[in-house]
């Protein structure tokens, strides 16, 4: 069966052929095309054969072959057939203008199809859960005007407390998606094997959340898969990897060589649906899990995402207010008992929100969510750009149709003289418009198929054209009819309004040379192009700014050895062996790195003795060793580095400048600060970026300690290949059962801004499309103007006009329109990109050079487009233009 499937032509093209082709020719035509396809397939690749088959199908759309869906005896249908033939002949006769119309609309329809598939995919996330409309995620909200914030982390007791107090909550479950304890990444092996494998999709989940989400089970019982301590639920893919061809229930996995806490497989679920926001292959049970004494019953620490399943018919907004009241009644007294001044802010500004699970993917941008989500703004951006590209293509159609009105004037006048009604003429012109869009749609589908890999790259998706779906062809036909009608309605009414007497007197011909509406449309086209060009340049500049900004540390030449948490007491040996390599400068060990996605630990700090007087400041506490600052290339501004031989340094901190400033430490060295214990400040480091540049640099403290699943290695050579071979040999000597896994700090840093890179690619890609469509229209208009003014040009040349004068005459009006586009597009693009840049705490200032470059690009493209026909007209022999006179 597989070989036959491989040589079969594209299914959608075959369906299109059967749809439009008449019964009397379909069998012969289809047989010939199949035979031709088979010959091509035997001589070339499948891709080339597919392209050729699609071209053959498109070229088969001829009036004689089209299926007849009408009665031969109907006058109306006879009129339609006649209109169709006339429209086809017009397309064939005016090939260049037809190509411009079809090409522009095909590009617009391609953009619409690609974006529609993208939007459909984005809007379909998290909709496959059972009773999805009743599932919500709990959000913390601080409405403090000075520090508005939303976040997802809650205390361990919140879920069960709310469920017990509110009958409106049917079920409540908890999730820990953070890189915390066994969450995040681990080295994994079966208990009866010695070789470890790296996995990075671990999370903690309790049994009740599993029952809320109800993934499909392969092995085990959904109602008990996570009900036992130290149980783990794994995906089908991981079950096949670690337990091939066997039932894993009851088997054990070892994480990071923690032999005292093996994980017992309690169930196997289907692989995570790509459309769900939870993409974990390993779910560790929270049953009876207490990470430290009192953690499950205290309001002190927030580490859990909380999900609710509401009872039927419950209004989520009304429940939010009740949840907020219970939180304040319990949390505020807890804070006041400890003299925490934050209690007043909680009472005044804190509240809860319930987020529908179907909104998580697109509406979580401001939640500091560690899960990978989309952004509704990107959906709107893609949609708006596709809409405008299609509008630009429709403008081309309208402009060329009305510009050529003089050529159609005699036809309209003659038809009216012999008795045609205006409605008949409108039908004729709409038929032409719809025929053009139908052909454009066929080419648009083919072009979308070709461009889909590029589109997947810029959108970060793995989408396909859904040729197997029944709705694709009908929906594209409906789109073609709608677009054809909208694009053709104005030209149809404009052309059908000509009066025979005006045609004879020549007034129509004069009016065809100038049109205010046509000029406005050209200005609109190039204004859109200017905005997209400016957008591309600004996004590129911002990206380069972020990649090249002084970060406060040196990200170059740092190799990150990962999966070191399973090395145990051999970590010192590994570090020493690495330091013995000639090209290794320094080695550290810490999970805390200045790139997103690594370990974080937020704490509250005060000056010592002022916890009941001052408001706390939030600060990160990173546990690092005494080589961390040197290895990361950080700048120690005051004081000294850690000394691991000093017992006092176990209670010492090195803080950044922001923390010193927010704590009001004018002389920070030797100052005492506290969170739940006291610390002495021994050093101050220069502020460095440890999160995305969308955020400011917050307070941060370094404490001496080793939390080492990552070993940063600074190398001092450009011979990276040789150095990596030496590092690998040192690793293999100590960890023969675990393959080395490494990355580079600069590459990890760059990956933080993949969304910005995609935005830039979107602007660039669609800028090219918009400019191409606009230039198609401009080329068509310039060619037509040259055609209309050929006799005038010839007379001017006979009277002594130079080539330069003729060229200026033909281009000056178009360049005025481009100039007006720049005057409109530049301030609009400045405003839009300023709004976009507000997302970044650290951003560029949009300089005048951006607009100069955009203006030059637009002007050069416009001149190049117009010049071809204008120069050709300027150098032609005037005899050719006057021959008929």
């Amino acid at each position: 069966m597989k070989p036959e499937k491989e040589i079969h032509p594209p299914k959608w093209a075959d369906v299109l052929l059967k749809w439009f082709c008449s019964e009397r020719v379909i069998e012969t035509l289809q047989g010939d095309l199949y035979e031709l396809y088979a010959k091509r397939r035997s001589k070339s690749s499948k891709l080339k054969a597919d392209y050729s088959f699609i071209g053959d199908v498109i070229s088969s759309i001829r009036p004689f072959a089209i299926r007849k869906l009408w009665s031969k005896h109907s006058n109306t249908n006879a009129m339609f057939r006649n209109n169709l033939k006339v429209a086809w002949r017009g397309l064939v006769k005016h090939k260049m203008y037809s190509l411009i119309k079809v090409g522009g609309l095909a590009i617009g329809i391609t953009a619409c199809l690609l974006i529609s598939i993208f939007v459909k995919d984005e809007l379909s996330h998290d909709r496959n859960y059972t009773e999805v409309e009743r599932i919500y995620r709990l959000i913390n909200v601080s409405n403090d005007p000075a520090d508005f914030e939303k976040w997802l982390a809650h205390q361990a007791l919140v879920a069960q407390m709310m469920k017990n107090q509110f009958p409106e909550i049917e079920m409540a479950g908890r999730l820990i998606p953070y890189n915390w304890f066994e969450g995040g990444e681990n080295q994994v092996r079966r208990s009866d094997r010695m070789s470890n494998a790296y996995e990075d999709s671990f999370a903690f989940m309790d049994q009740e959340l599993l029952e809320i989400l109800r993934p499909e089970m392969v092995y085990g019982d959904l109602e008990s898969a996570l009900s036992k301590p130290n149980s783990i639920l794994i995906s089908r893919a991981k079950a096949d990897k670690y337990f091939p061809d066997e039932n894993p229930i009851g088997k054990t996995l070892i994480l990071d060589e923690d032999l005292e806490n093996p994980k017992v497989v309690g169930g196997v679920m289907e692989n995570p649906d790509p459309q769900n926001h939870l993409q974990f292959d390993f779910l560790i049970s929270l049953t009876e899990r207490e990470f430290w004494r009192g953690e499950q019953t205290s309001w002190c620490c927030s580490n859990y995402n909380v999900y609710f399943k509401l009872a039927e018919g419950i209004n989520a907004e009304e429940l939010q207010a009740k949840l907020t009241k219970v939180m304040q009644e319990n949390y505020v007294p807890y804070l006041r008992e400890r003299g925490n001044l934050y209690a007043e802010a909680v009472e005044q500004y804190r509240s809860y929100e319930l987020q529908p699970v179907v909104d998580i993917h697109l509406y979580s941008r401001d939640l500091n969510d560690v899960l990978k989500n989309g952004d509704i703004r990107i959906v709107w951006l893609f949609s708006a750009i596709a809409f405008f590209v299609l509008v630009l293509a429709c403008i081309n159609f309208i402009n060329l149709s009305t510009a050529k009105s003089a050529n159609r004037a005699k036809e309209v006048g003659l038809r009216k003289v012999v008795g045609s009604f205006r409605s008949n003429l409108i039908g004729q012109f709409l038929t032409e418009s719809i025929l053009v869009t139908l052909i454009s749609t066929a080419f648009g589908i083919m072009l979308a198929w070709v461009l889909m890999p590029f589109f997947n790259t810029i959108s970060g998706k793995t989408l396909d054209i859904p040729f197997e779906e029944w709705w694709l062809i009908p929906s594209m036909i409906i789109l073609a009819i709608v677009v054809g009608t909208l694009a053709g309605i104005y030209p149809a009414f404009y052309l059908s309004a000509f009066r025979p007497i005006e045609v004879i007197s020549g007034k129509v011909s004069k009016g065809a040379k100038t049109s205010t509406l046509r000029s406005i449309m050209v200005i609109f086209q190039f204004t859109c192009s200017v905005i997209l060009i400016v957008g591309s340049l600004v996004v590129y500049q911002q990206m380069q700014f972020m990649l090249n900004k002084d970060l406060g540390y040196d990200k170059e030449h740092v190799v990150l050895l990962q999966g070191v948490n399973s090395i145990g007491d051999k970590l010192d040996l590994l570090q020493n062996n690495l330091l013995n390599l000639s090209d290794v400068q320094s080695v550290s060990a810490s999970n805390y790195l200045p790139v997103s996605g690594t370990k974080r630990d937020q704490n509250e700090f005060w000056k010592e003795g002022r916890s009941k007087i001052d408001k706390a400041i939030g600060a990160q506490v990173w546990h690092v060793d005494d080589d961390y600052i040197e290895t990361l290339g950080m700048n120690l501004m005051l004081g000294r580095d850690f000394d691991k031989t000093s017992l006092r340094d176990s209670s010492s901190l090195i803080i950044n400048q922001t923390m010193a400033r927010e704590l009001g430490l004018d002389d920070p060295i030797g100052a005492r600060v506290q969170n739940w214990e006291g610390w002495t400040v021994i050093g101050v480091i220069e502020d460095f970026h440890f999160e995305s540049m969308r955020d400011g640099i917050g307070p941060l403290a370094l404490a001496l300690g080793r939390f080492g699943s990552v070993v940063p290695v600074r190398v001092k050579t450009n011979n990276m290949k040789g150095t990596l071979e030496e590092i690998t040999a040192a690793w293999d000597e100590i960890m023969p059962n675990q393959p080395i896994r490494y990355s580079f700090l600069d590459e990890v840093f760059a990956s933080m801004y993949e969304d910005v890179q995609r935005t830039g690619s979107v602007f660039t890609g669609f800028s090219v499309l918009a400019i191409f469509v606009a230039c198609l229209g401009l080329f068509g208009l310039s060619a037509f103007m040259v055609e209309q003014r050929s006799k005038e040009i010839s007379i001017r040349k006979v009277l002594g006009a130079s080539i330069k004068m003729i060229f200026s005459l033909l281009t000056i009006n178009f360049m005025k329109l481009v100039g007006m586009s720049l005057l409109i597009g530049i301030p609009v693009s400045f405003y839009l990109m300023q709004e976009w840049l507000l997302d970044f705490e650290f951003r560029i200032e949009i300089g005048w050079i951006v607009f100069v470059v955009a203006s030059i690009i637009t002007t050069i493209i416009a001149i190049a487009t117009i010049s071809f026909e204008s120069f050709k007209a300027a150098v032609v022999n005037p005899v050719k233009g006057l021959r008929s006179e």
Side-chain angles (χ1 to χ4, degrees):
M1 296 299 290
K2 281 188 176 180
E4 291 181 8
K5 187 174 182 182
E6 287 178 4
I7 64 170
H8 200 280
K11 184 177 179 181
W12 69 269
D14 194 29
V15 171
L16 179 64
L17 177 69
K18 293 176 182 177
W19 181 83
F20 78 77
C21 201
S22 171
E23 292 88 345
R24 58 190 171 81
V25 298
I26 180 61
E27 187 174 347
T28 303
L29 183 59
Q30 191 176 37
D32 291 343
L33 293 183
Y34 275 26
E35 184 178 349
L36 190 58
Y37 177 83
K39 288 181 180 179
R40 288 172 176 153
R41 183 67 182 86
S42 64
K43 296 179 180 179
S44 62
S45 67
K46 183 177 186 303
L47 185 62
K48 290 183 179 179
D50 285 351
Y51 279 132
S52 299
F53 183 83
I54 294 167
D56 292 337
V57 170
I58 300 299
S59 65
S60 300
I61 305 178
R62 306 287 181 85
F64 75 88
I66 293 178
R67 179 190 296 271
K68 294 182 179 180
L69 302 175
W70 49 76
S71 169
K72 295 181 180 180
H73 304 290
S74 168
N75 289 334
T76 302
N77 291 328
M79 179 74 73
F80 177 74
R81 291 200 304 275
N82 180 69
N83 289 345
L84 191 61
K85 290 177 181 178
V86 171
W88 181 261
R89 289 169 185 163
L91 290 176
V92 173
K93 182 179 179 181
H94 304 287
K95 291 184 176 63
M96 184 185 74
Y97 298 107
S98 299
L99 183 61
I100 291 173
K101 290 179 180 179
V102 170
L105 284 172
I107 291 173
I109 288 168
T110 296
C112 274
L113 178 57
L114 292 174
I115 295 299
S116 297
I117 294 170
F118 170 82
V119 171
K120 181 178 181 295
D121 179 79
E122 287 291 282
L123 296 178
S124 61
H125 279 255
D126 293 306
R127 296 184 181 275
N128 58 351
Y129 298 117
T130 303
E131 298 179 305
V132 64
E133 70 283 352
R134 295 166 54 193
I135 303 175
Y136 292 82
R137 185 169 68 170
L138 187 64
I139 297 173
N140 282 302
V141 182
S142 172
N143 293 297
D144 188 341
D147 187 25
F148 178 80
E149 187 179 6
K150 289 185 177 183
W151 67 99
L152 294 167
H154 301 271
Q155 296 85 352
L157 52 74
V158 167
Q160 199 60 37
M161 173 183 288
M162 297 303 179
K163 179 187 174 184
N164 292 340
Q165 294 203 27
F166 296 103
E168 296 96 325
I169 299 175
E170 186 176 299
M171 303 178 76
R174 300 174 301 167
L175 172 79
I176 303 179
Y178 311 110
N179 190 357
W180 195 58
F181 288 85
E182 300 102 309
E185 56 186 31
N186 291 284
Q187 297 296 326
V188 184
R189 66 176 176 87
R190 288 175 51 152
S191 58
D192 57 349
R193 305 285 169 84
M194 295 303 297
S195 295
N196 280 304
Y198 168 76
E199 302 288 354
D200 62 356
S201 55
F202 285 81
F204 291 96
M205 181 181 287
D206 59 22
Q207 174 63 36
E208 194 150 347
L209 179 55
L210 183 67
E211 294 177 32
I212 292 174
L213 302 177
R214 306 196 68 81
E216 184 179 348
M217 299 294 289
V218 179
Y219 293 106
D221 183 11
L222 179 73
E223 277 69 30
S224 61
L226 294 177
S227 60
K228 297 179 180 179
N230 277 332
S231 58
I232 189 169
L233 179 64
I234 64 178
S235 68
R236 177 194 285 269
K238 300 309 175 183
D240 291 341
K241 178 178 179 179
Y242 292 99
F243 305 99
D245 302 321
E246 56 183 304
N247 184 342
I249 302 296
K251 304 293 178 63
T252 54
L253 292 173
I254 304 299
L255 309 185
D256 289 338
E257 294 300 323
D258 183 5
L259 301 179
E260 296 182 2
N261 296 288
K263 305 304 177 190
V264 180
V265 178
V268 176
M269 60 183 172
E270 275 296 350
N271 296 326
D273 189 328
Q275 298 293 86
N276 290 350
H277 71 287
L278 298 181
Q279 294 291 306
F280 297 107
D281 288 304
F282 300 88
L283 297 174
I284 304 171
S285 175
L286 284 170
T287 301
E288 298 181 16
R289 185 67 182 262
E290 189 171 44
F291 293 97
W292 57 84
R293 180 173 297 180
E295 181 257 346
Q296 291 291 308
T297 57
S298 171
W299 283 91
C300 76
C301 303
S302 300
N303 297 298
Y304 297 81
N305 290 4
V306 173
Y307 291 75
F308 293 141
K309 182 176 182 180
L310 305 187
E312 291 187 19
I314 298 302
N315 185 305
E317 291 186 4
E318 294 178 0
L319 180 59
Q320 285 175 178
K322 297 179 182 179
L323 295 175
T324 298
K325 183 179 180 181
V326 170
M327 178 269 292
Q328 292 183 342
E329 288 174 350
N330 289 271
Y331 190 32
V332 172
Y334 169 85
L335 294 172
R336 282 180 174 153
E337 286 174 9
R338 287 153 180 78
N340 193 324
L341 298 184
Y342 187 51
E344 301 302 323
V346 170
E347 187 172 42
Q348 186 174 358
Y349 297 118
R350 276 283 296 278
S351 63
Y352 280 150
E353 283 185 9
L354 289 174
Q355 181 186 37
V357 72
V358 294
D359 287 349
I360 289 176
H361 179 67
L362 292 178
Y363 297 93
S364 299
R365 181 182 61 87
D366 58 345
L367 295 180
N368 297 317
D369 195 350
V370 298
L371 303 177
K372 186 176 180 181
N373 291 311
D375 189 341
I376 190 62
R377 299 176 306 167
I378 298 297
V379 173
W380 284 113
L381 174 66
F382 275 42
S383 301
I385 292 176
F387 172 76
F388 280 114
V389 171
L390 183 59
V391 169
L392 298 185
C394 291
I395 287 174
N396 278 354
F397 184 93
I398 295 169
N399 277 348
L400 291 177
S401 297
T402 54
K404 289 180 66 64
S405 58
N407 292 22
R408 306 296 299 269
K410 291 181 181 179
E411 174 192 345
V412 172
L414 182 59
R415 283 174 176 261
K416 286 194 171 184
V417 167
V418 297
S420 285
F421 294 106
R422 189 182 183 189
S423 59
N424 300 133
L425 295 171
I426 291 172
Q428 169 66 50
F429 296 130
L430 285 177
T431 300
E432 294 178 11
S433 173
I434 292 172
L435 178 61
V436 168
T437 53
L438 284 170
I439 297 172
S440 301
T441 300
F443 280 108
I445 294 173
M446 183 169 63
L447 187 59
W449 180 54
V450 173
L451 293 179
M452 183 58 83
F454 171 73
F455 182 75
N456 281 334
T457 300
I458 66 175
S459 65
K461 295 279 188 178
T462 53
L463 304 173
D464 293 306
I465 307 293
F467 293 124
E468 71 283 355
E469 298 289 345
W470 66 268
W471 50 264
L472 178 65
I473 298 299
S475 62
M476 295 308 296
I477 292 172
I478 292 171
L479 174 66
I481 293 172
V482 172
V483 171
T485 301
L486 293 176
I489 195 73
Y490 173 74
F493 278 89
Y494 176 79
L495 297 173
S496 64
F498 292 158
R499 297 179 181 177
I501 189 66
E502 292 179 346
V503 173
I504 296 170
S505 64
K507 292 181 180 179
V508 172
S509 181
K510 293 176 183 177
K513 294 181 184 178
T514 58
S515 168
T516 301
L517 179 61
R518 195 155 55 243
S519 298
I520 292 173
M521 290 182 176
V522 171
I523 291 170
F524 177 79
Q525 285 184 309
F526 276 90
T527 298
C528 292
S529 300
V530 169
I531 292 171
L532 289 172
I533 292 172
V534 171
S536 300
L537 294 173
V538 171
V539 172
Y540 174 78
Q541 285 191 340
Q542 176 66 16
M543 191 69 200
Q544 293 304 306
F545 169 78
M546 293 186 296
L547 293 179
N548 298 304
K549 185 182 183 298
D550 180 9
L551 302 173
Y553 66 94
D554 184 4
K555 66 180 185 298
E556 306 298 330
H557 297 107
V558 177
V559 181
L560 304 176
L561 301 184
Q562 296 165 323
V564 187
N565 37 345
S566 59
I567 202 170
D569 56 6
K570 297 179 181 179
L571 180 57
D572 287 330
L573 177 61
L574 174 65
Q575 287 183 287
N576 291 332
N577 288 355
L578 290 173
L579 286 170
N580 289 331
L581 301 178
S582 59
D583 288 329
V584 172
Q585 181 176 331
S586 61
V587 181
S588 180
S590 178
N591 288 358
Y592 299 89
L593 293 169
V595 287
S596 297
T598 55
K599 191 171 179 62
R600 297 291 183 265
D601 189 2
Q602 186 77 0
N603 281 238
E604 292 182 339
F605 277 90
W606 300 263
K607 287 183 180 179
E608 190 172 59
R610 298 188 65 85
S611 61
K612 297 184 179 181
I613 302 171
D614 300 332
K615 284 187 177 181
I617 69 159
Q620 286 287 316
V621 179
W622 290 12
H623 295 272
V624 303
D625 64 10
D626 56 330
D627 294 309
Y628 185 85
I629 292 177
E630 178 187 358
T631 303
L632 272 294
M634 296 173 177
N635 299 315
L636 190 63
M637 308 298 290
L638 296 172
R640 63 176 178 84
D641 202 345
F642 291 115
D643 180 0
K644 64 182 177 182
T645 63
S646 171
L647 293 177
R648 291 183 302 172
D649 278 7
S650 61
S651 59
S652 299
L653 293 178
I654 297 174
I655 63 176
N656 68 354
Q657 292 169 306
T658 298
M659 185 167 178
R661 183 171 58 253
E662 293 198 9
L663 282 174
L665 302 177
D666 297 326
D667 185 15
I669 304 303
R672 294 284 296 173
V673 298
Q674 70 177 82
N675 50 5
W676 61 81
E677 57 183 316
W679 302 85
T680 301
V681 177
I682 63 170
V684 177
I685 54 172
E686 180 185 2
D687 282 342
F688 64 91
H689 292 274
F690 56 88
E691 296 293 357
S692 165
M693 290 190 196
R694 289 186 172 87
D695 306 313
I697 298 176
L700 179 140
L702 302 180
L704 187 62
R706 302 184 85 182
F707 282 74
S709 67
V710 180
V711 168
V713 180
R714 177 166 293 281
V715 298
K716 51 186 176 183
T717 177
N718 288 322
N719 179 24
M720 189 61 73
K721 181 179 178 182
T723 304
L724 289 176
E725 289 175 354
E726 293 180 347
I727 291 174
T728 301
W731 173 276
D732 291 340
E733 182 180 347
I734 296 174
M735 297 294 290
N737 295 320
Q738 182 176 316
I740 189 172
R741 190 172 55 84
Y742 60 82
S743 58
F744 300 97
L745 184 59
D746 57 344
E747 293 180 357
V748 177
F749 175 81
S751 69
M752 292 166 57
Y753 302 104
E754 286 180 350
D755 60 328
V756 181
Q757 291 177 317
R758 283 199 297 269
T759 302
S761 299
V762 169
F763 272 109
T764 303
F766 283 101
S767 293
V768 172
L769 289 182
I771 292 169
F772 181 73
V773 171
C775 288
L776 275 179
L778 195 60
F779 178 81
L781 286 177
S782 64
F784 181 72
M785 289 300 111
V786 168
E787 178 186 329
Q788 288 292 96
R789 305 180 72 171
S790 60
K791 290 184 176 61
E792 176 192 345
I793 293 168
S794 298
I795 293 171
R796 287 178 179 271
K797 291 193 70 175
V798 168
L799 294 176
S802 65
I803 292 176
K804 181 180 179 181
M805 291 172 63
I806 298 298
F807 183 81
S808 300
L809 175 71
L810 295 173
T811 58
I812 190 65
N813 287 332
F814 286 116
M815 294 314 300
K816 288 179 180 177
L817 299 181
V818 173
M820 294 180 69
S821 301
L822 292 171
L823 291 175
I824 298 171
I826 286 174
V828 171
S829 60
F830 176 77
Y831 170 77
L832 293 176
M833 296 317 295
Q834 281 285 79
E835 289 294 308
W836 179 75
L837 286 171
L838 290 178
D839 269 357
F840 299 90
E841 187 73 22
F842 298 89
R843 53 184 179 266
I844 62 169
E845 293 293 331
I846 303 177
W848 58 269
I849 190 66
V850 171
F851 304 110
V852 171
V853 172
S855 301
I856 291 173
I857 292 173
T858 306
T859 303
I860 290 175
I861 291 173
I863 291 176
T865 303
I866 300 166
S867 295
F868 179 77
E869 288 293 329
S870 300
F871 184 76
K872 190 167 68 172
V875 299
V876 74
N877 191 330
V879 173
K880 293 183 178 180
L882 299 173
R883 183 174 295 165
S884 61
E885 294 300 314

